[in-house]
Amino acid sequence: MADTSYTSLPTSHLPGSVPAVITEVKAPVIQQDPEANLQIFPPNSSAGGRGYQTLTGPSDGNGQQSANNWNGAFSISSYTQYFNVDTDDVVNRLTSSLYPAGDFFRKIEANPDLYGLIWIATTLVFVIASVGNLATYLMTKKGDSNVAWSFDVNYFQVSAIAVYGYAFLVPLGFYLLLQYFGSKVGLVHLWCMWGYSLFIFILSSVLLVIPVEFVRWSITIITGVASAAFVGLNLRSHVELTELTLVLVAACVLQFGLAIFIKSWFFQ
């Protein structure tokens, strides 16, 4: 008599056995709107909390950096987007600052940087302080070789206050003025443009070491006119205001005044 307890054993593993037919239930296909906003991980929100970040570019149509990159004024990561430049970008912008064609804003519109502002301003501080002392030494020895000469450390203090104050406060003042007139120009764009406008003063300061007063004043005037033209033409091409003439005159006068100040204070 056969034991019926073994009839329920599975036989699909035996040779020659036929597996049972299993009907698969197809999952419903979810139709996704092709215009839907994709999301990426890790979560990140513009409010500084946790949330999903949409898959968008680093800048919007107006060239402004995405607000999702701002994590607060005291967070270093908030400012990394303004140092996202390589050597080719910096060299290209330095070269453009020497040719006042009025298209500098177009080159920095999508990616304005603060690297040029800080690097150029710091270099200018050390150049005019050190070269200014050298020029004073040459002029002293040219007049009377027996006169004692000493290195003036105060040149570094004065140059730091003048250059950093000019590079940061002047663009800020023009930003507030342009905002009052209704312009939408960004503060970082102004800082970037004014920072690169100081590059020509580094070159002219090296040439001002020549101990000939006529040559020095000629270099100073050329530098002042070139830097004023660079700032004025770029503001005129980028800012659309009915009261723009007063803004342009003020910007050009300040640039030319900086050239006169460097010559008068450091290269007497």
Side-chain angles (χ1 to χ4, degrees):
M1 179 176 177
D3 191 355
T4 58
S5 62
Y6 295 97
T7 58
S8 61
L9 293 175
T11 58
S12 60
H13 65 284
L14 299 177
S17 61
V18 179
V21 178
I22 300 176
T23 304
E24 296 182 356
V25 180
K26 295 184 178 180
V29 179
I30 300 176
Q31 297 294 334
Q32 185 177 5
D33 186 4
E35 298 296 329
N37 224 352
L38 298 180
Q39 295 175 333
I40 63 175
F41 189 83
N44 186 17
S45 63
S46 59
R50 296 295 181 181
Y52 287 101
Q53 180 182 1
T54 56
L55 185 62
T56 55
S59 59
D60 56 18
N62 295 328
Q64 300 291 338
Q65 298 290 341
S66 174
N68 291 333
N69 295 329
W70 185 258
N71 298 319
F74 299 100
S75 176
I76 298 178
S77 60
S78 300
Y79 303 98
T80 55
Q81 57 183 320
Y82 301 120
F83 295 85
N84 186 25
V85 289
D86 54 19
T87 303
D88 293 335
D89 295 331
V90 174
V91 171
N92 185 23
R93 296 176 183 189
L94 289 175
T95 306
S96 300
S97 67
L98 300 177
Y99 299 95
D103 60 344
F104 187 81
F105 268 112
R106 180 179 58 82
K107 295 183 178 182
I108 68 171
E109 184 175 8
N111 186 28
D113 70 279
L114 296 179
Y115 174 82
L117 171 67
I118 297 176
W119 177 77
I120 294 173
T122 303
T123 304
L124 182 59
V125 167
F126 284 92
V127 167
I128 61 178
S130 56
V131 178
N133 274 282
L134 176 60
T136 305
Y137 170 79
L138 294 178
M139 292 295 290
T140 302
K141 294 302 179 181
K142 180 182 178 181
D144 187 358
S145 59
N146 296 324
V147 175
W149 175 86
S150 60
F151 188 89
D152 193 350
V153 184
N154 291 328
Y155 274 25
F156 286 95
Q157 179 180 356
V158 175
S159 62
I161 295 175
V163 173
Y164 286 128
Y166 184 90
F168 285 95
L169 296 181
V170 169
L172 178 60
F174 274 89
Y175 169 75
L176 297 176
L177 180 62
L178 293 173
Q179 290 293 311
Y180 173 78
F181 285 132
S183 176
K184 301 300 181 182
V185 62
L187 176 59
V188 179
H189 290 77
L190 293 178
W191 268 333
C192 181
M193 183 197 67
W194 249 285
Y196 281 95
S197 72
L198 300 178
F199 175 66
I200 192 173
F201 291 99
I202 299 177
L203 303 179
S204 63
S205 297
V206 176
L207 297 177
L208 288 177
V209 74
I210 302 174
V212 179
E213 197 66 13
F214 173 77
V215 175
R216 288 182 175 181
W217 277 110
S218 299
I219 295 173
T220 299
I221 294 174
I222 294 174
T223 302
V225 171
S227 61
F230 171 76
V231 172
L233 291 176
N234 279 281
L235 284 177
R236 189 182 67 176
S237 64
H238 189 75
V239 180
E240 297 179 359
L241 291 176
T242 56
E243 300 87 354
L244 186 60
T245 303
L246 178 62
V247 177
L248 294 179
V249 171
C252 293
V253 168
L254 287 175
Q255 287 293 112
F256 194 83
L258 178 62
I260 300 297
F261 170 77
I262 293 176
K263 164 64 184 70
S264 302
W265 187 274
F266 300 96
F267 301 92
Q268 300 178 3

